[in-house]
Amino acid sequence: SQSETGAAPTVFPAQPGSIDVRYSGYLERQRQQIAVVREQHGRPLEPTIPYHSITTLSKEAREHLSHVQPLTLGQASRIPGVGPADVNAFLLWLELQRRRQDQSSRVLACNWSELV
């Protein structure tokens, strides 16, 4: 396209490495997320997971996960309609559930030791 003066706009080529520097934080975060998903690929999933109540998942992902009831995280990640953002949100949800369960277990253990 041309500017009001009729001259073609000046285009400056990107400096070598400038894209890497600009997006390095984002790219590193993506690499870490991919590594976590690979590590968790075989993680078994409970058949009682209430997918419809996980509001951080897209509506489409909740519907597909509820219908398929995947046995592992890897299987869940391959379901059409379940995108990378859904897998990451699901991993966070699983981690929060684990932490809540650990915290409940510690509280029960403390209460039990007080009774004994």
Side-chain angles (χ1 to χ4, degrees), residues 83-104:
D86 294 310
V87 173
N88 286 328
F90 187 46
L91 276 169
L92 288 172
W93 183 86
L94 289 168
E95 179 61 20
L96 285 172
Q97 298 308 305
R98 185 192 65 76
R99 288 181 184 186
R100 286 181 184 146
Q101 186 176 14
D102 287 352
Q103 186 177 19
S104 295

Side-chain angles (χ1 to χ4, degrees), residues 19-36:
I19 292 175
D20 290 342
V21 171
R22 188 174 308 149
Y23 295 103
S24 64
Y26 172 77
L27 294 172
E28 182 57 32
R29 196 168 40 246
Q30 286 294 103
R31 283 186 200 102
Q32 290 172 354
Q33 289 172 341
I34 290 167
V36 168

